[in-house]
Amino acid sequence: MTDTLKTYSPIDNSLYLERPFAKDKEIEFALACALKAKKQWANTPLAVRERYCNLAVDVLVANKEEIAWEICWQMGRPIRYAAGEINGLEERARYMISAAKEALAPLTLPAKTGFIRYIKREPLGLAFVIAPWNYPYLTAVNSIIPALMAGNVVLLKHSAQTPLVAERFAQAFKEANLPEGVFQYLDLTHPDTEKVLKHPAINHVAFTGSVAGGGMVERATAGSFLSIGLELGGKDPGYVRFDADIDKAVEALMDGAFFNSGQSCCGIERIYVHKNIYDRFLGKAVSLVMQYKLGRPDDPETTLGPLVRPSAAEFVRAQIQEALTQGAVAHIDPQKFIWDKPGSAYMAPQILTEVNHEMRIMTEETFGPVVGIMPVDSDEEAISLMNDSKYGLTATVFTQDIEAGIAIGEQLDTGTFFINRCDYLDPALAWAGVKHSGRGCTLSSIGYEVLTRPKSFHLKTGD
């Protein structure tokens, strides 16, 4: 086991940065600091917590351009889009800060003679946040800001691919003068992460990552009765009805499939199109994708960057090749994208047809720049295929008949349902998954429920 964390940039596979992993004494010290700060922070007035959190967000926003370059070099997001992540962070953070007062207010009950009854929401204590690299600030802020606003202290373990994100959060809270021990981060090995998960100081775990990673969290915490939130994988479907605006559907779904090189838990990975418009949709989709520019993400002209590492690209290529041997048809010539090189993290986008649910490309999470498209005869067939998945994070329907779209959405096994859009998190709405896409909830006022516990007050005031 190496003593240092090494981050290799997907841009050129160079060593971008190196950090020492936390030692046992550093881990114990961080946990002790969190425990020391826990009670004082829980008793800190909400307005004061709000001030600290807003100041930290101000710092991150002020450093947006520098952070964008760090995102670009750490995980390969094209620089033309990288700053948008901090815009999204600010939107989510400000909303959750503003929602806290109402969400955390005591619940009052109808008057009952001789009694006072109410329910308070108390913080859980120490929240251990484990965040991934693909949207490194957005996934982290979903848990960090609400946890702090709810009165919890936070320990962050970020991905080894994006360690500067944890450092940026720490610097922002330091400049906001957040009390010591309230927010901390550690660079941890996998074994040490499991040790922290099992530590009695931990009261809540917020994990975003793979299904396999979620299984590790559940095994490590089994029998501890911890509060656990898991945001895991997806194989998110889109359905284009016969009455859809084809141009808008193509634009939204191709962006949903290929933005961030398809490395999104809620990205579009399979599309079902009514047979009456299938050919027109497919032609427009191929034409649009052929306009993407694959290249170094530090080039402002690039619209499609590399995957996070060469092994990730090889996994996606293997899924595509397997589908082709099973009868799928590829519509994009990789040779048209000169940066596509087997063995590298750079790979061309791909659209596959003649696919079916016997193929992994339509059933298992791909997490790369490829999408399968199937024609369907009816809404009923589309619903059946969309539900034929072990995942359930988001699903979308493109239609001009909103009532018909809602009727479809009510039959889908999904955490979020869209009409005429996809791949977006509105912080006012609960972010949750079903089946293998996870459990628990972040964002919205409901997101505060998993970060607090109810405490009932039943007071008899007279006979």
Side-chain angles (χ1 to χ4, degrees), residues 104-388:
L104 297 171
L107 301 177
T108 57
L109 282 75
K112 184 176 181 181
T113 303
F115 295 91
I116 298 173
R117 301 175 300 159
Y118 58 95
I119 304 169
K120 287 188 67 178
R121 299 190 187 278
E122 295 197 336
L124 298 176
L126 172 52
F128 185 33
V129 177
I130 305 175
W133 52 265
N134 61 321
Y135 284 90
Y137 284 90
L138 292 178
T139 53
V141 79
N142 286 355
S143 299
I144 293 171
I145 290 295
L148 292 174
M149 288 299 299
N152 300 291
V153 294
V154 171
L155 177 62
L156 171 65
K157 186 271 178 199
H158 217 294
S159 168
Q161 190 66 39
T162 46
L164 290 183
V165 178
E167 295 177 20
R168 284 287 186 177
F169 270 109
Q171 183 62 33
F173 285 118
K174 181 178 180 181
E175 292 189 30
N177 293 314
L178 190 72
E180 185 178 356
V182 175
F183 174 87
Q184 300 173 91
Y185 76 93
L186 291 171
D187 292 320
L188 297 171
T189 64
H190 289 305
D192 282 339
T193 299
E194 292 192 40
K195 289 180 184 178
V196 173
L197 285 166
K198 296 175 181 179
H199 199 284
I202 303 299
N203 305 112
H204 173 72
V205 178
F207 174 86
T208 305
S210 67
V211 174
M216 178 277 292
V217 172
E218 288 203 324
R219 288 190 298 273
T221 58
S224 62
F225 309 113
L226 275 181
S227 164
I228 300 176
L230 303 173
E231 186 199 326
L232 308 177
K235 192 72 181 176
D236 293 6
Y239 170 40
V240 186
R241 292 186 82 232
F242 66 89
D243 65 341
D245 183 316
I246 297 178
D247 289 334
K248 290 180 180 178
V250 166
E251 181 181 2
L253 287 169
M254 292 306 100
D255 184 66
F258 296 108
F259 187 81
N260 209 40
S261 296
Q263 299 169 122
S264 173
C265 56
C266 59
I268 296 296
E269 295 209 1
R270 51 197 175 106
I271 300 173
Y272 308 97
V273 184
H274 194 277
K275 64 181 182 180
N276 290 355
I277 60 171
Y278 175 79
D279 289 337
R280 283 185 290 157
F281 178 90
L282 178 60
K284 289 176 179 288
V286 171
S287 178
L288 177 59
V289 172
M290 286 299 297
Q291 297 174 38
Y292 291 164
K293 182 175 179 180
L294 175 67
R296 284 180 61 114
D298 56 349
D299 178 351
E301 298 299 314
T302 292
T303 59
L304 193 69
L307 274 72
V308 68
R309 60 182 66 90
S311 61
E314 287 307 301
F315 174 84
V316 179
R317 289 188 179 100
Q319 268 202 5
I320 293 172
Q321 187 56 45
E322 180 183 279
L324 294 175
T325 62
Q326 294 173 322
V329 175
H331 290 264
I332 305 295
D333 181 0
Q335 294 184 3
K336 299 291 185 181
F337 294 82
I338 61 173
W339 276 84
D340 183 288
K341 297 179 178 66
S344 81
Y346 292 85
M347 66 171 292
Q350 187 57 267
I351 293 175
L352 298 177
T353 60
E354 301 301 323
V355 291
N356 58 61
H357 281 219
E358 298 298 315
M359 301 175 179
R360 286 195 303 149
I361 202 75
M362 295 297 284
T363 59
E364 294 188 11
E365 186 173 36
T366 304
F367 224 61
V370 57
V371 66
I373 305 179
M374 290 176 62
V376 294
D377 291 330
S378 64
D379 292 348
E380 290 72 24
E381 183 182 8
I383 292 166
S384 177
L385 289 167
M386 294 170 87
N387 282 337
D388 182 26

